[in-house]
Amino acid sequence: MNGRDPNFLQGLLDFLPITLVAILTFTMGFIRGVHEGGSLKKSLLGALMCTLLATPLFPVFLWIAESQGWPPIIAFPPCVFLAFLGTDWIRSKADDIYEVFIGRWRK
């Protein structure tokens, strides 16, 4: 077909692992939020934060896996795990920052 790039499908396939990481971490974050009894809004925001943490971590773990000769699938679990734990860490630090800057004036 004229005017069609034959490498378009390959380009989409190159983004498939990052898309899978985003979907997995969003799902894990959302399930955790619902399981903890949070509201829908809180669960969605936690899932979004989890996804935003895992997406940039994936290329780093992929590079580590490739440099060690491991299969690329090894990069998925640490990404999801660190993003899962990272949301709680960021939430606690955000609460501390809030107390230091805003909580002081509210008292």
Side-chain angles (χ1 to χ4, degrees), residues 33-70:
V34 170
H35 179 69
E36 290 177 351
S39 65
L40 181 64
K41 181 179 175 182
K42 185 177 177 182
S43 299
L44 287 174
L45 286 175
L48 180 63
M49 179 68 89
C50 195
T51 303
L52 290 175
L53 284 172
T55 304
L57 286 174
F58 180 69
V60 173
F61 285 111
L62 189 61
W63 173 74
I64 292 170
E66 288 175 353
S67 68
Q68 297 296 320
W70 299 335

Side-chain angles (χ1 to χ4, degrees), residues 4-81:
R4 302 240 177 169
D5 185 12
N7 295 324
F8 179 72
L9 186 57
Q10 183 61 41
L12 285 178
L13 289 175
D14 289 342
F15 284 107
L16 185 63
I18 293 174
T19 305
L20 288 175
V21 165
I23 291 170
L24 281 173
T25 55
F26 187 85
T27 304
M28 286 293 295
F30 185 72
I31 289 172
R32 181 184 62 180
V34 170
H35 179 69
E36 290 177 351
S39 65
L40 181 64
K41 181 179 175 182
K42 185 177 177 182
S43 299
L44 287 174
L45 286 175
L48 180 63
M49 179 68 89
C50 195
T51 303
L52 290 175
L53 284 172
T55 304
L57 286 174
F58 180 69
V60 173
F61 285 111
L62 189 61
W63 173 74
I64 292 170
E66 288 175 353
S67 68
Q68 297 296 320
W70 299 335
I73 196 77
I74 296 295
F76 282 102
C79 245
V80 174
F81 180 73

